[in-house]
Amino acid sequence: MTVPKNTGGAPASAGRVLRRGTPPDVTYDVTVIGAGVVGAAVARELARHPGLRIALVEASGDVGDGTSKANTAILHTGFDAVPGSLEARLVREGRRLLAAYAAESGIPVEPVGALLVAWDDEQLAALPHLLAKAEANGYDAARLIGPAEVRAREPHLGTGALGALDVPGESIICPWTTTLAYATQAVRAGVDLLLDCRVRDVDTTADTHLLATSRGPLRTRYLVNAAGLHADTVDRLLGHADFTVTPRRGQLLVFDKLARGLVRHILLPVPTALGKGVLVAPTVYGNVLLGPTAEELDDKTATGSTAEGIAALREKGRRILPELLDEEVTAVYAGLRAATEADDYRIGAHKEQRYVTVGGIRSTGLTASLAIAAHVTELLAATGLDLPGPGELAPVAMPNLGEAFPRPYQRGDLIAADPAYGAVVCHCERVTRGEIRDALAATVPPGSLDGLRRRTRARGGRCQGFYCGAEVRELYERGAQWGTG
């Protein structure tokens, strides 16, 4: 297909998801590098301004395929952020925006609340400071509670808890659906999504950036670096060395759904300099998480688990929730957080280069994503990008992956209209043929079986695809007839 040249102006129609071939022979107004939750949010926010030609470029084969897919899936209040920091402000604003967006888009959220549990006198003495920190961040709902109330709220908690900070606003959310919703809205509003497209070099002239990618050259007027773990690498391509990303590995254990009755809240430890520490938390999918570790590494691809990491998690979990260790582990995974030298986001504009860096976005990036996107858009305007007045995007209705809300196999109305929603393929997770079909025919279809799992939960249950794997693979490989071709 020949793509007509364009030097700006309104896209003629919806954007495209491009997995192969050279990039379109156009000059984009803005290109966003990185299709994680932050990059997808930025592209979506830019798509609200009609007339801009936007590209979202991702090195892997799917959106949300890096840090965004492997986190603790918490919608934070920002109670423990550094007061006055950019992160504190954006998390506070982002929580409000994402809560409203999730309700509108069908992203599952459960406001379970959190208990920050003190296990010794030193931790107990730190709780008033954390309460004051929450109040300094504008969060007034937190309160200190004693050991009796802690035990009443969490009857399966290990012995020895001396008290807790109650943070009722903390929630659990589906991170996979969030990133996908942003990308879907962006593409439908005209953004071109280029997958398997790694940026290798950037040549900047007076009015254009020429990106050398793994699929060929791409031209753009303005550039946003939301490359996550590789944000420092891209920054150096533009001649900057403002920060260095040190990957911080977090290993986590996922316990079977039968463990869900053991925990009612997100159980947080008193945080350390390396992060929030090891927690126990329910998930919207009905499982229980234990983790993460916090391991400083040099390798930005080291997402493997280790025997030492798993043993350390089990030791900590035994103190927090002893009965959890008797439950089956259905999955082990690890994610890498983009830690830098600073305790804050590294977001800044370089006006002379028409370039914005979005670096150092750690575990709170999911919560802050929509606020980060609005902030980046403001920075682009300050660098000279002519932004038409924002409009409203057509809403999206995302498939529900949460157990607290009706799933397709439970909805007689859906099954009556289309029997495919009653044909269960993955029995562990109750995923139907209709859901798999819809995912494969979606605006942003999966590029792998793992991508399909993140869209449907198929192969994500206790058998990890042992029983349904062959049928799911067959459906995936036949997906061209449903729109993935």
Side-chain angles (χ1 to χ4, degrees), residues 267-301:
L267 301 178
L268 298 170
V270 176
T272 69
L274 284 178
K276 299 180 186 300
V278 173
L279 57 83
V280 173
T283 74
V284 295
Y285 320 115
N287 303 96
V288 176
L289 286 181
L290 172 62
T293 58
E295 309 159 53
E296 301 281 2
L297 305 175
D298 296 323
D299 185 355
K300 294 182 179 181
T301 66

Side-chain angles (χ1 to χ4, degrees), residues 377-399:
T377 302
E378 292 172 358
L379 291 177
L380 285 169
T383 65
L385 177 64
D386 185 14
L387 280 175
E392 293 300 322
L393 299 178
V396 291
M398 302 307 294

Side-chain angles (χ1 to χ4, degrees), residues 116-162:
L116 194 77
V117 181
W119 297 96
D120 57 39
D121 290 336
E122 183 179 357
Q123 293 176 5
L124 186 64
L127 293 184
H129 170 71
L130 289 166
L131 176 60
K133 196 175 189 181
E135 293 169 346
N137 281 316
Y139 186 74
D140 299 324
R143 65 187 183 94
L144 298 174
I145 61 176
E149 184 173 350
V150 174
R151 172 65 55 187
R153 299 271 293 275
E154 286 290 350
H156 297 280
L157 199 67
T159 58
L162 303 179

Side-chain angles (χ1 to χ4, degrees), residues 326-401:
D326 296 328
E327 301 294 333
E328 294 289 335
V329 172
T330 61
V332 178
Y333 69 92
L336 298 176
R337 288 159 279 177
T340 68
E341 308 91 333
D343 290 331
D344 202 357
Y345 295 161
R346 307 302 297 267
I347 302 177
H350 300 273
K351 184 175 182 178
E352 71 285 356
Q353 290 181 304
R354 307 171 312 284
Y355 168 61
V356 175
T357 301
V358 190
I361 311 300
R362 296 159 300 176
S363 58
T364 55
L366 170 62
T367 301
S369 54
L370 289 175
I372 292 173
H375 180 59
V376 168
T377 302
E378 292 172 358
L379 291 177
L380 285 169
T383 65
L385 177 64
D386 185 14
L387 280 175
E392 293 300 322
L393 299 178
V396 291
M398 302 307 294
N400 167 48
L401 302 186

Side-chain angles (χ1 to χ4, degrees), residues 30 32 37-47 54 182 224 226 358 369 372-374 376-377 380:
V30 186
V32 181
V37 70
V38 171
V42 172
R44 173 193 172 274
E45 179 65 24
L46 288 168
I54 304 155
Y182 295 162
V224 175
V358 190
S369 54
I372 292 173
V376 168
T377 302
L380 285 169

Side-chain angles (χ1 to χ4, degrees), residues 66-420:
T67 298
S68 299
K69 74 179 180 186
N71 54 53
T72 50
I74 295 175
L75 183 58
H76 295 283
T77 60
F79 77 96
D80 58 347
V82 177
S85 65
L86 179 63
E87 180 180 17
R89 175 171 73 83
L90 295 180
V91 169
R92 184 169 61 248
E93 295 173 2
R95 171 177 171 260
R96 174 182 56 81
L97 293 171
L98 183 49
Y101 181 79
E104 172 189 289
S105 305
I107 298 168
V109 174
E110 291 184 52
V112 295
L115 296 178
L116 194 77
V117 181
W119 297 96
D120 57 39
D121 290 336
E122 183 179 357
Q123 293 176 5
L124 186 64
L127 293 184
H129 170 71
L130 289 166
L131 176 60
K133 196 175 189 181
E135 293 169 346
N137 281 316
Y139 186 74
D140 299 324
R143 65 187 183 94
L144 298 174
I145 61 176
E149 184 173 350
V150 174
R151 172 65 55 187
R153 299 271 293 275
E154 286 290 350
H156 297 280
L157 199 67
T159 58
L162 303 179
L165 180 66
D166 177 23
V167 188
E170 297 279 300
S171 302
I172 53 178
I173 187 172
C174 176
W176 306 329
T177 309
T178 304
T179 306
L180 183 61
Y182 295 162
T184 297
Q185 272 193 308
V187 171
R188 289 180 182 176
V191 174
D192 283 345
L193 171 60
L194 286 82
L195 299 169
D196 289 314
C197 188
R198 181 177 297 277
V199 175
R200 292 173 170 165
D201 201 1
V202 180
D203 183 18
T204 300
T205 63
D207 57 2
T208 307
H209 299 286
L210 179 63
L211 277 58
T213 80
S214 57
R215 287 172 45 186
L218 183 150
R219 295 189 306 276
T220 187
R221 296 171 55 230
Y222 289 79
L223 189 61
V224 175
N225 169 14
L229 289 167
H230 301 281
D232 56 342
T233 302
V234 174
D235 212 40
R236 282 160 174 72
L237 295 179
L238 275 294
H240 306 286
D242 298 333
F243 62 93
T244 297
V245 173
T246 301
R248 183 175 295 161
R249 181 167 61 190
Q251 301 182 50
L252 296 104
L253 303 180
V254 182
F255 287 85
D256 187 66
K257 298 177 192 302
L258 295 175
R260 180 61 180 85
L262 295 176
V263 61
R264 300 173 180 176
H265 307 77
I266 302 164
L267 301 178
L268 298 170
V270 176
T272 69
L274 284 178
K276 299 180 186 300
V278 173
L279 57 83
V280 173
T283 74
V284 295
Y285 320 115
N287 303 96
V288 176
L289 286 181
L290 172 62
T293 58
E295 309 159 53
E296 301 281 2
L297 305 175
D298 296 323
D299 185 355
K300 294 182 179 181
T301 66
T303 56
S305 303
T306 66
E308 295 80 8
I310 292 171
L313 290 178
R314 291 182 64 86
E315 180 181 352
K316 292 182 181 296
R318 184 171 289 108
R319 181 177 192 183
I320 301 167
L321 208 66
E323 294 173 65
L324 184 62
L325 277 297
D326 296 328
E327 301 294 333
E328 294 289 335
V329 172
T330 61
V332 178
Y333 69 92
L336 298 176
R337 288 159 279 177
T340 68
E341 308 91 333
D343 290 331
D344 202 357
Y345 295 161
R346 307 302 297 267
I347 302 177
H350 300 273
K351 184 175 182 178
E352 71 285 356
Q353 290 181 304
R354 307 171 312 284
Y355 168 61
V356 175
T357 301
V358 190
I361 311 300
R362 296 159 300 176
S363 58
T364 55
L366 170 62
T367 301
S369 54
L370 289 175
I372 292 173
H375 180 59
V376 168
T377 302
E378 292 172 358
L379 291 177
L380 285 169
T383 65
L385 177 64
D386 185 14
L387 280 175
E392 293 300 322
L393 299 178
V396 291
M398 302 307 294
N400 167 48
L401 302 186
E403 286 297 306
F405 312 90
R407 299 275 308 286
Y409 77 93
Q410 298 169 310
R411 293 185 51 184
D413 58 332
L414 282 182
I415 296 169
D418 186 345

